Amino acid sequence: MNELRAASMEAKQGPRSRTTQPIVTGASVLAITYKDGVMMMSDTLASYGSMARFKSVQRILKVNGASMIGASGEYSDFQYISDILEDLTDEEFDIDDGATMDAKQIHSYLSRVMYNRRTKVNPLYNQLVVAGYKNGGYLGAVDMYGSTYKENIIATGYGMYLALPLLRKGWRADLSEKEARELLEKSMTVLFYRDCRAINKYNVAKVTKAGVEISKPYSLPTQWSYKRFVNPHLSE
Amino acid sequence: MEVYQKSRGGFDFGLCDRNVKLAQEQGAKLPKTKKTGTTICGIVYKNGVVLGADTRATEGPIVCDKNCEKIHKISEKIWCCGAGTSADTENVTGLIGSQMELHRLATGKEPRVITALTRLKQRLFQYQGYVSAALVLGGVDSEGGHIYTVWPHGSTDRLPYATMGSGSLAAMAIFEAGYKDDLDEKEAIDLVDQAIQAGIWNDLGSGGNVDIMVLDKKAAPKMLRNYKKLNERTFHAPGLYKFPKGTTALAEEAKKRFASMTVEAVDSKMETE
């Protein structure tokens, strides 16, 4: 109740002190488990409303040797989350007792952070994807409300509507690295065609027992020369 | 002045204030519209067009028809898939279909898709979006095969492949991944089937079976109603509850004879006055 009273008072009193809407945003993040671990892909755009403002950002973060997170939504909140995760890994390094955080623990920690902010009606405006490898792949998601789940296929933002049907159709537990990458790339291309806030420049990342590897940015081929797009009034 | 008002056409919104008052002050429940949650699509292939649709009709969160028909006939070789408010899609396609038949008889020529398109868009624009019909119009005529989308406010697009309805993104993802120039009939039917299925499984507003309509330039139209039946009920009630004697153990058996009754016929008329 106090929160609600405060909210109505603050509206009359000056600068904003809580997140009400995202300003600089990242679009979809896709991730799937495959034979050797987990693969994640996102584009490298941070939009400013309808402007393609920052075209070469990385929205996938390596947390430690066995986990990574991907973020869509408010970019500054992702940077804040990256900072607190970095602090956690530094603390772990300092304690130096041989224990390292795994993806499950990071997932659990982030869900507490997100839910805590939600209860204060000042959310971190993100949909996060947590991936890791420890005796098998681990893949889960957390959103701005603190809802969490684990799945073999995760998509955020518009990816939920456009990519999930394709990923669900093409997924198998024993996908090879090449097949997993092709499935993700096919979905990212469809997102580039149909999501207005996407660009054709991507990072792909994988986490396996060998560790976390995030690729350099790269583009995919697109098809714009179907006969009936070039000439909609083709009569044949 | 009143006569002028009556002849202007379009919707009469006179009762809207009354309805709002009824809902607020007297707690009257406004009826829910029956919508076709829907995944509909159409694709141009080598020899013509293929249309597809799911079969779920919803009233809010309830499925009110598990196997409705969303592919409507405008003319023999021009058909129209409809998403949005069921009443609006049924009536607008029925009306334009009727107009097309009269036009065909008057001109003696084979109907054209663009004629149906123009009539549909002009009617929907007149109603400024209040007729909630989002359509995928497809057909073959003297100019070849065509697929158009028609939006509730009256705008149209001509496309090689199109999807509409709440499941349109799921279906469009399949089309974007699988479309190529000059598909043959089998490939086109298969792609439409996959697209509708993507809507059925991934969109909550769509479900039921897959309906397909094949319109070939040089062959008879092929309606593949319930091309795929993917949600059949597995378990049925066993039927009559007739259990054979001895199913339950008898604890006690008692027989009694009732004294025979005699029925007297009394001659009295019914009082009708």
Side-chain angles (χ1 to χ4, degrees):
Chain A
M1 226 44 226
N2 270 332
E3 305 293 344
L4 296 169
R5 219 175 290 134
S8 74
M9 275 173 47
E10 80 182 337
K12 304 162 194 157
Q13 265 173 9
R16 281 176 283 202
S17 55
R18 62 178 72 234
T19 306
T20 48
Q21 46 158 331
I23 307 293
V24 178
T25 53
S28 316
V29 177
L30 309 179
I32 51 175
T33 58
Y34 69 107
K35 197 163 55 133
D36 307 329
V38 187
M39 196 177 284
M40 192 186 291
M41 199 159 170
S42 73
D43 68 12
T44 64
L45 176 66
S47 309
Y48 186 62
S50 61
M51 179 190 179
R53 181 73 182 83
F54 304 106
K55 288 161 68 168
S56 216
V57 306
Q58 195 174 292
R59 295 194 287 112
I60 300 176
L61 171 79
K62 172 178 169 174
V63 182
N64 58 29
S67 340
M68 58 184 183
I69 62 168
S72 64
E74 173 58 55
Y75 197 66
S76 63
D77 287 344
F78 170 57
Q79 288 173 324
Y80 171 73
I81 287 164
S82 304
D83 287 347
I84 56 180
L85 286 175
E86 196 185 315
D87 288 345
L88 276 182
T89 44
D90 288 348
E91 196 186 328
E92 197 175 76
F93 179 82
D94 292 341
I95 291 172
D96 195 24
D97 62 358
T100 47
M101 279 188 302
D102 64 27
K104 184 165 188 264
Q105 292 162 337
I106 293 169
H107 191 200
S108 184
Y109 177 77
L110 285 176
S111 81
R112 289 293 92 218
V113 170
M114 301 301 268
Y115 187 69
N116 191 237
R117 291 288 297 256
R118 169 253 187 277
T119 52
K120 294 192 283 193
V121 197
N122 183 17
L124 291 164
Y125 227 100
N126 296 112
Q127 250 185 308
L128 304 167
V129 184
V130 182
Y133 188 92
K134 184 178 169 179
N135 304 321
Y138 181 94
L139 181 58
V142 200
D143 70 8
M144 60 185 269
Y145 306 100
S147 308
T148 56
Y149 60 99
K150 285 167 16 194
E151 248 299 352
N152 292 123
I153 303 167
I154 305 262
T156 66
Y158 264 94
M160 290 197 293
Y161 301 94
L162 290 163
L164 225 39
L166 289 170
L167 294 172
R168 282 174 174 172
K169 201 157 163 266
W171 188 85
R172 285 179 347 259
D174 61 346
L175 287 169
S176 69
E177 184 184 318
K178 182 167 176 293
E179 290 171 322
R181 186 158 168 152
E182 279 169 1
L183 183 59
L184 285 173
E185 288 182 344
K186 185 166 74 170
S187 303
M188 292 303 302
T189 307
V190 172
L191 282 168
F192 174 60
Y193 287 140
R194 293 286 166 176
D195 179 0
C196 296
R197 308 285 187 259
I199 55 167
N200 188 17
K201 191 171 168 189
Y202 315 101
N203 287 122
V204 66
K206 63 180 187 195
V207 58
T208 58
K209 66 174 189 278
V212 174
E213 211 180 290
I214 305 177
S215 76
K216 287 201 168 46
Y218 70 104
S219 293
L220 291 167
T222 52
Q223 168 63 280
W224 299 100
S225 57
Y226 288 131
K227 282 199 304 218
R228 286 167 201 277
F229 273 134
V230 173
N231 179 13
H233 298 283
L234 194 65
S235 68
E236 55 155 61
Chain B
M1 189 61 185
E2 272 171 45
V3 174
Y4 174 63
Q5 291 283 69
K6 272 187 197 147
S7 71
R8 273 175 72 205
F11 282 143
D12 173 9
F13 290 99
L15 289 173
C16 285
D17 288 335
R18 176 206 78 153
N19 290 345
V20 168
K21 280 214 174 77
L22 277 176
Q24 282 175 350
E25 288 162 22
Q26 293 181 31
K29 273 202 195 129
L30 293 170
K32 280 201 185 103
T33 49
K34 181 170 152 214
K35 305 202 110 197
T36 50
T38 303
T39 308
I40 52 175
C41 67
I43 199 165
V44 180
Y45 75 105
K46 207 162 53 175
N47 301 334
V49 302
V50 177
L51 299 173
D54 74 309
T55 63
R56 175 179 285 187
T58 52
E59 265 171 19
I62 304 293
V63 178
C64 58
D65 190 345
K66 294 181 277 188
N67 201 191
C68 73
E69 289 196 51
K70 301 187 190 182
I71 307 182
H72 311 284
K73 180 173 160 180
I74 304 255
S75 75
E76 284 308 311
K77 291 198 158 192
I78 302 172
W79 292 66
C80 190
C81 308
T85 306
S86 290
D88 288 340
T89 57
E90 299 256 359
N91 282 289
V92 81
T93 50
L95 181 67
I96 268 69
S98 160
Q99 288 177 359
M100 292 290 286
E101 176 65 0
L102 290 169
H103 188 255
R104 182 182 75 84
L105 292 166
T107 60
K109 290 193 177 157
E110 282 301 296
R112 295 189 186 193
V113 182
I114 201 148
T115 315
L117 179 77
T118 308
R119 284 173 189 262
L120 283 166
K121 73 151 76 179
Q122 285 174 354
R123 165 135 326 240
L124 291 176
F125 180 72
Q126 184 190 7
Y127 285 88
Q128 288 293 291
Y130 284 100
V131 176
S132 176
L135 312 168
V136 172
L137 175 68
V140 286
D141 55 29
S142 56
E143 301 287 313
H146 314 251
I147 289 286
Y148 289 94
T149 54
V150 187
W151 297 86
H153 286 262
S155 65
T156 59
D157 306 292
R158 182 172 176 181
L159 296 162
Y161 50 92
T163 66
M164 297 285 260
S166 54
S168 63
L169 277 75
M172 183 52 83
I174 300 293
F175 274 169
E176 289 286 22
Y179 179 83
K180 48 188 214 277
D181 282 330
D182 298 321
L183 292 158
D184 64 36
E185 185 184 297
K186 186 171 177 304
E187 291 172 318
I189 290 174
D190 188 61
L191 193 59
V192 166
D193 173 38
Q194 297 299 317
I196 299 298
Q197 281 198 48
I200 288 172
W201 304 125
N202 297 111
D203 172 43
L204 295 175
S206 307
N209 310 123
V210 182
D211 283 353
I212 293 199
M213 186 72 204
V214 184
L215 296 164
D216 187 313
K217 276 178 275 201
K218 293 184 184 118
K222 252 190 319 192
M223 167 57 114
L224 305 169
R225 167 75 171 151
N226 291 357
Y227 174 73
K228 287 260 172 85
K229 291 178 98 167
L230 308 153
N231 288 292
E232 291 298 273
R233 233 168 124 179
T234 21
F235 303 108
H236 290 264
L240 293 173
Y241 283 99
K242 196 167 172 66
F243 299 101
K245 226 176 182 174
T247 305
T248 48
L250 282 171
E252 204 182 288
E253 197 172 328
K255 282 187 180 165
K256 254 188 185 160
R257 177 155 288 205
F258 289 98
S260 56
M261 297 193 301
T262 47
V263 178
E264 279 175 29
V266 177
D267 186 28
S268 64
K269 290 201 179 109
M270 247 181 20
E271 283 179 25
T272 50
E273 270 127 61

mmCIF file of all heavy atoms in Angstrom, chain B residues 105-133:
data_model
loop_
_atom_site.group_PDB
_atom_site.id
_atom_site.type_symbol
_atom_site.label_atom_id
_atom_site.label_comp_id
_atom_site.label_asym_id
_atom_site.label_seq_id
_atom_site.Cartn_x
_atom_site.Cartn_y
_atom_site.Cartn_z
ATOM 1 N N LEU B 105 -23.364 -13.108 -63.600
ATOM 2 C CA LEU B 105 -24.526 -13.310 -64.470
ATOM 3 C C LEU B 105 -24.757 -12.102 -65.365
ATOM 4 O O LEU B 105 -25.107 -12.236 -66.535
ATOM 5 C CB LEU B 105 -25.766 -13.603 -63.621
ATOM 6 C CG LEU B 105 -25.738 -14.946 -62.879
ATOM 7 C CD1 LEU B 105 -26.806 -15.001 -61.812
ATOM 8 C CD2 LEU B 105 -25.874 -16.119 -63.840
ATOM 9 N N ALA B 106 -24.501 -10.921 -64.814
ATOM 10 C CA ALA B 106 -24.724 -9.699 -65.591
ATOM 11 C C ALA B 106 -23.681 -9.520 -66.692
ATOM 12 O O ALA B 106 -23.992 -9.071 -67.787
ATOM 13 C CB ALA B 106 -24.718 -8.491 -64.649
ATOM 14 N N THR B 107 -22.421 -9.895 -66.415
ATOM 15 C CA THR B 107 -21.349 -9.665 -67.396
ATOM 16 C C THR B 107 -21.096 -10.876 -68.279
ATOM 17 O O THR B 107 -20.503 -10.754 -69.353
ATOM 18 C CB THR B 107 -20.016 -9.331 -66.700
ATOM 19 O OG1 THR B 107 -19.650 -10.439 -65.856
ATOM 20 C CG2 THR B 107 -20.116 -8.075 -65.882
ATOM 21 N N GLY B 108 -21.468 -12.056 -67.815
ATOM 22 C CA GLY B 108 -21.174 -13.275 -68.567
ATOM 23 C C GLY B 108 -19.703 -13.639 -68.546
ATOM 24 O O GLY B 108 -19.236 -14.450 -69.339
ATOM 25 N N LYS B 109 -18.927 -13.046 -67.631
ATOM 26 C CA LYS B 109 -17.482 -13.334 -67.591
ATOM 27 C C LYS B 109 -17.117 -14.030 -66.292
ATOM 28 O O LYS B 109 -17.803 -13.909 -65.281
ATOM 29 C CB LYS B 109 -16.689 -12.025 -67.685
ATOM 30 C CG LYS B 109 -16.781 -11.379 -69.030
ATOM 31 C CD LYS B 109 -15.745 -10.279 -69.174
ATOM 32 C CE LYS B 109 -15.842 -9.698 -70.588
ATOM 33 N NZ LYS B 109 -15.313 -8.347 -70.628
ATOM 34 N N GLU B 110 -15.965 -14.724 -66.310
ATOM 35 C CA GLU B 110 -15.461 -15.372 -65.108
ATOM 36 C C GLU B 110 -15.061 -14.309 -64.083
ATOM 37 O O GLU B 110 -14.411 -13.329 -64.449
ATOM 38 C CB GLU B 110 -14.225 -16.238 -65.434
ATOM 39 C CG GLU B 110 -14.564 -17.577 -66.074
ATOM 40 C CD GLU B 110 -15.461 -18.414 -65.175
ATOM 41 O OE1 GLU B 110 -15.009 -18.792 -64.064
ATOM 42 O OE2 GLU B 110 -16.606 -18.686 -65.560
ATOM 43 N N PRO B 111 -15.478 -14.498 -62.819
ATOM 44 C CA PRO B 111 -15.162 -13.477 -61.804
ATOM 45 C C PRO B 111 -13.658 -13.332 -61.573
ATOM 46 O O PRO B 111 -12.902 -14.304 -61.714
ATOM 47 C CB PRO B 111 -15.833 -13.991 -60.530
ATOM 48 C CG PRO B 111 -16.414 -15.299 -60.842
ATOM 49 C CD PRO B 111 -16.192 -15.641 -62.250
ATOM 50 N N ARG B 112 -13.249 -12.115 -61.239
ATOM 51 C CA ARG B 112 -11.835 -11.852 -60.952
ATOM 52 C C ARG B 112 -11.644 -11.597 -59.465
ATOM 53 O O ARG B 112 -12.499 -10.982 -58.818
ATOM 54 C CB ARG B 112 -11.337 -10.640 -61.725
ATOM 55 C CG ARG B 112 -11.365 -10.883 -63.205
ATOM 56 C CD ARG B 112 -10.675 -9.788 -63.971
ATOM 57 N NE ARG B 112 -10.857 -10.009 -65.401
ATOM 58 C CZ ARG B 112 -10.171 -9.374 -66.350
ATOM 59 N NH1 ARG B 112 -9.272 -8.463 -66.008
ATOM 60 N NH2 ARG B 112 -10.402 -9.629 -67.610
ATOM 61 N N VAL B 113 -10.496 -12.018 -58.963
ATOM 62 C CA VAL B 113 -10.168 -11.841 -57.541
ATOM 63 C C VAL B 113 -10.158 -10.360 -57.183
ATOM 64 O O VAL B 113 -10.622 -9.961 -56.112
ATOM 65 C CB VAL B 113 -8.795 -12.477 -57.210
ATOM 66 C CG1 VAL B 113 -8.479 -12.339 -55.724
ATOM 67 C CG2 VAL B 113 -8.781 -13.941 -57.606
ATOM 68 N N ILE B 114 -9.665 -9.548 -58.100
ATOM 69 C CA ILE B 114 -9.520 -8.128 -57.790
ATOM 70 C C ILE B 114 -10.876 -7.439 -57.616
ATOM 71 O O ILE B 114 -10.988 -6.435 -56.903
ATOM 72 C CB ILE B 114 -8.637 -7.430 -58.851
ATOM 73 C CG1 ILE B 114 -8.085 -6.136 -58.269
ATOM 74 C CG2 ILE B 114 -9.405 -7.212 -60.134
ATOM 75 C CD1 ILE B 114 -6.754 -5.760 -58.768
ATOM 76 N N THR B 115 -11.922 -8.031 -58.269
ATOM 77 C CA THR B 115 -13.275 -7.487 -58.101
ATOM 78 C C THR B 115 -13.738 -7.710 -56.665
ATOM 79 O O THR B 115 -14.238 -6.802 -56.003
ATOM 80 C CB THR B 115 -14.253 -8.177 -59.068
ATOM 81 O OG1 THR B 115 -13.644 -8.260 -60.351
ATOM 82 C CG2 THR B 115 -15.565 -7.431 -59.156
ATOM 83 N N ALA B 116 -13.562 -8.963 -56.197
ATOM 84 C CA ALA B 116 -13.939 -9.284 -54.818
ATOM 85 C C ALA B 116 -13.140 -8.425 -53.848
ATOM 86 O O ALA B 116 -13.670 -7.906 -52.865
ATOM 87 C CB ALA B 116 -13.686 -10.764 -54.536
ATOM 88 N N LEU B 117 -11.850 -8.249 -54.142
ATOM 89 C CA LEU B 117 -10.976 -7.440 -53.290
ATOM 90 C C LEU B 117 -11.497 -6.025 -53.155
ATOM 91 O O LEU B 117 -11.608 -5.477 -52.056
ATOM 92 C CB LEU B 117 -9.563 -7.417 -53.880
ATOM 93 C CG LEU B 117 -8.571 -6.595 -53.084
ATOM 94 C CD1 LEU B 117 -8.135 -7.351 -51.848
ATOM 95 C CD2 LEU B 117 -7.354 -6.221 -53.920
ATOM 96 N N THR B 118 -11.828 -5.421 -54.316
ATOM 97 C CA THR B 118 -12.282 -4.026 -54.318
ATOM 98 C C THR B 118 -13.583 -3.885 -53.536
ATOM 99 O O THR B 118 -13.759 -2.935 -52.760
ATOM 100 C CB THR B 118 -12.452 -3.542 -55.762
ATOM 101 O OG1 THR B 118 -11.243 -3.822 -56.462
ATOM 102 C CG2 THR B 118 -12.723 -2.062 -55.824
ATOM 103 N N ARG B 119 -14.517 -4.841 -53.755
ATOM 104 C CA ARG B 119 -15.793 -4.752 -53.035
ATOM 105 C C ARG B 119 -15.593 -4.930 -51.531
ATOM 106 O O ARG B 119 -16.216 -4.229 -50.730
ATOM 107 C CB ARG B 119 -16.756 -5.808 -53.561
ATOM 108 C CG ARG B 119 -17.337 -5.436 -54.910
ATOM 109 C CD ARG B 119 -18.152 -6.591 -55.476
ATOM 110 N NE ARG B 119 -18.558 -6.348 -56.850
ATOM 111 C CZ ARG B 119 -19.768 -5.882 -57.199
ATOM 112 N NH1 ARG B 119 -20.655 -5.593 -56.269
ATOM 113 N NH2 ARG B 119 -20.060 -5.712 -58.472
ATOM 114 N N LEU B 120 -14.732 -5.872 -51.146
ATOM 115 C CA LEU B 120 -14.487 -6.104 -49.719
ATOM 116 C C LEU B 120 -13.858 -4.873 -49.082
ATOM 117 O O LEU B 120 -14.309 -4.397 -48.031
ATOM 118 C CB LEU B 120 -13.556 -7.320 -49.524
ATOM 119 C CG LEU B 120 -14.179 -8.691 -49.682
ATOM 120 C CD1 LEU B 120 -13.097 -9.753 -49.810
ATOM 121 C CD2 LEU B 120 -15.107 -9.032 -48.520
ATOM 122 N N LYS B 121 -12.826 -4.329 -49.711
ATOM 123 C CA LYS B 121 -12.120 -3.208 -49.076
ATOM 124 C C LYS B 121 -12.993 -1.955 -49.002
ATOM 125 O O LYS B 121 -12.940 -1.223 -48.010
ATOM 126 C CB LYS B 121 -10.798 -2.898 -49.770
ATOM 127 C CG LYS B 121 -10.920 -2.225 -51.124
ATOM 128 C CD LYS B 121 -9.730 -1.347 -51.402
ATOM 129 C CE LYS B 121 -8.544 -2.176 -51.776
ATOM 130 N NZ LYS B 121 -7.379 -1.343 -52.071
ATOM 131 N N GLN B 122 -13.826 -1.746 -50.004
ATOM 132 C CA GLN B 122 -14.684 -0.556 -49.985
ATOM 133 C C GLN B 122 -15.737 -0.663 -48.890
ATOM 134 O O GLN B 122 -16.058 0.325 -48.221
ATOM 135 C CB GLN B 122 -15.307 -0.317 -51.363
ATOM 136 C CG GLN B 122 -14.283 0.240 -52.344
ATOM 137 C CD GLN B 122 -14.804 0.366 -53.759
ATOM 138 O OE1 GLN B 122 -15.914 -0.070 -54.069
ATOM 139 N NE2 GLN B 122 -13.996 0.961 -54.634
ATOM 140 N N ARG B 123 -16.249 -1.892 -48.701
ATOM 141 C CA ARG B 123 -17.233 -2.081 -47.628
ATOM 142 C C ARG B 123 -16.578 -1.916 -46.259
ATOM 143 O O ARG B 123 -17.117 -1.238 -45.394
ATOM 144 C CB ARG B 123 -17.876 -3.481 -47.729
ATOM 145 C CG ARG B 123 -18.601 -3.861 -46.473
ATOM 146 C CD ARG B 123 -19.974 -4.477 -46.632
ATOM 147 N NE ARG B 123 -20.767 -4.007 -47.727
ATOM 148 C CZ ARG B 123 -21.953 -3.421 -47.576
ATOM 149 N NH1 ARG B 123 -22.443 -3.210 -46.383
ATOM 150 N NH2 ARG B 123 -22.635 -3.066 -48.631
ATOM 151 N N LEU B 124 -15.421 -2.530 -46.056
ATOM 152 C CA LEU B 124 -14.765 -2.456 -44.745
ATOM 153 C C LEU B 124 -14.318 -1.037 -44.424
ATOM 154 O O LEU B 124 -14.408 -0.598 -43.267
ATOM 155 C CB LEU B 124 -13.576 -3.426 -44.687
ATOM 156 C CG LEU B 124 -13.949 -4.903 -44.696
ATOM 157 C CD1 LEU B 124 -12.693 -5.764 -44.727
ATOM 158 C CD2 LEU B 124 -14.794 -5.281 -43.492
ATOM 159 N N PHE B 125 -13.863 -0.303 -45.428
ATOM 160 C CA PHE B 125 -13.449 1.086 -45.187
ATOM 161 C C PHE B 125 -14.645 1.937 -44.787
ATOM 162 O O PHE B 125 -14.553 2.781 -43.898
ATOM 163 C CB PHE B 125 -12.777 1.673 -46.423
ATOM 164 C CG PHE B 125 -12.340 3.100 -46.219
ATOM 165 C CD1 PHE B 125 -11.252 3.383 -45.405
ATOM 166 C CD2 PHE B 125 -13.030 4.153 -46.791
ATOM 167 C CE1 PHE B 125 -10.848 4.689 -45.185
ATOM 168 C CE2 PHE B 125 -12.637 5.462 -46.586
ATOM 169 C CZ PHE B 125 -11.549 5.739 -45.786
ATOM 170 N N GLN B 126 -15.766 1.670 -45.434
ATOM 171 C CA GLN B 126 -16.998 2.414 -45.107
ATOM 172 C C GLN B 126 -17.326 2.291 -43.618
ATOM 173 O O GLN B 126 -17.810 3.230 -43.013
ATOM 174 C CB GLN B 126 -18.144 1.860 -45.946
ATOM 175 C CG GLN B 126 -19.453 2.604 -45.774
ATOM 176 C CD GLN B 126 -20.616 1.882 -46.425
ATOM 177 O OE1 GLN B 126 -20.480 0.758 -46.899
ATOM 178 N NE2 GLN B 126 -21.761 2.515 -46.434
ATOM 179 N N TYR B 127 -17.070 1.110 -43.037
ATOM 180 C CA TYR B 127 -17.381 0.870 -41.633
ATOM 181 C C TYR B 127 -16.214 1.173 -40.704
ATOM 182 O O TYR B 127 -16.264 0.846 -39.520
ATOM 183 C CB TYR B 127 -17.902 -0.565 -41.442
ATOM 184 C CG TYR B 127 -19.318 -0.700 -41.926
ATOM 185 C CD1 TYR B 127 -19.608 -1.012 -43.249
ATOM 186 C CD2 TYR B 127 -20.384 -0.441 -41.064
ATOM 187 C CE1 TYR B 127 -20.908 -1.090 -43.699
ATOM 188 C CE2 TYR B 127 -21.693 -0.519 -41.505
ATOM 189 C CZ TYR B 127 -21.954 -0.838 -42.818
ATOM 190 O OH TYR B 127 -23.254 -0.914 -43.259
ATOM 191 N N GLN B 128 -15.174 1.821 -41.266
ATOM 192 C CA GLN B 128 -14.077 2.394 -40.455
ATOM 193 C C GLN B 128 -13.460 1.438 -39.439
ATOM 194 O O GLN B 128 -13.021 1.872 -38.382
ATOM 195 C CB GLN B 128 -14.609 3.652 -39.711
ATOM 196 C CG GLN B 128 -14.826 4.829 -40.648
ATOM 197 C CD GLN B 128 -13.509 5.339 -41.208
ATOM 198 O OE1 GLN B 128 -12.696 5.898 -40.485
ATOM 199 N NE2 GLN B 128 -13.291 5.167 -42.501
ATOM 200 N N GLY B 129 -13.410 0.149 -39.756
ATOM 201 C CA GLY B 129 -12.765 -0.789 -38.852
ATOM 202 C C GLY B 129 -13.706 -1.442 -37.861
ATOM 203 O O GLY B 129 -13.325 -2.373 -37.151
ATOM 204 N N TYR B 130 -14.970 -0.967 -37.798
ATOM 205 C CA TYR B 130 -15.914 -1.564 -36.867
ATOM 206 C C TYR B 130 -16.362 -2.949 -37.303
ATOM 207 O O TYR B 130 -16.765 -3.758 -36.472
ATOM 208 C CB TYR B 130 -17.127 -0.643 -36.668
ATOM 209 C CG TYR B 130 -16.804 0.522 -35.770
ATOM 210 C CD1 TYR B 130 -16.522 1.778 -36.301
ATOM 211 C CD2 TYR B 130 -16.750 0.360 -34.385
ATOM 212 C CE1 TYR B 130 -16.202 2.843 -35.469
ATOM 213 C CE2 TYR B 130 -16.437 1.414 -33.552
ATOM 214 C CZ TYR B 130 -16.159 2.650 -34.098
ATOM 215 O OH TYR B 130 -15.843 3.693 -33.272
ATOM 216 N N VAL B 131 -16.310 -3.239 -38.603
ATOM 217 C CA VAL B 131 -16.542 -4.616 -39.055
ATOM 218 C C VAL B 131 -15.193 -5.314 -38.929
ATOM 219 O O VAL B 131 -14.278 -5.112 -39.737
ATOM 220 C CB VAL B 131 -17.064 -4.662 -40.507
ATOM 221 C CG1 VAL B 131 -17.193 -6.102 -40.985
ATOM 222 C CG2 VAL B 131 -18.419 -3.978 -40.588
ATOM 223 N N SER B 132 -15.091 -6.139 -37.865
ATOM 224 C CA SER B 132 -13.781 -6.693 -37.517
ATOM 225 C C SER B 132 -13.484 -7.946 -38.330
ATOM 226 O O SER B 132 -13.576 -9.070 -37.837
ATOM 227 C CB SER B 132 -13.790 -6.998 -36.016
ATOM 228 O OG SER B 132 -12.607 -7.607 -35.646
ATOM 229 N N ALA B 133 -13.154 -7.743 -39.601
ATOM 230 C CA ALA B 133 -12.844 -8.875 -40.477
ATOM 231 C C ALA B 133 -11.440 -8.705 -41.034
ATOM 232 O O ALA B 133 -11.142 -7.700 -41.688
ATOM 233 C CB ALA B 133 -13.852 -8.944 -41.627
#
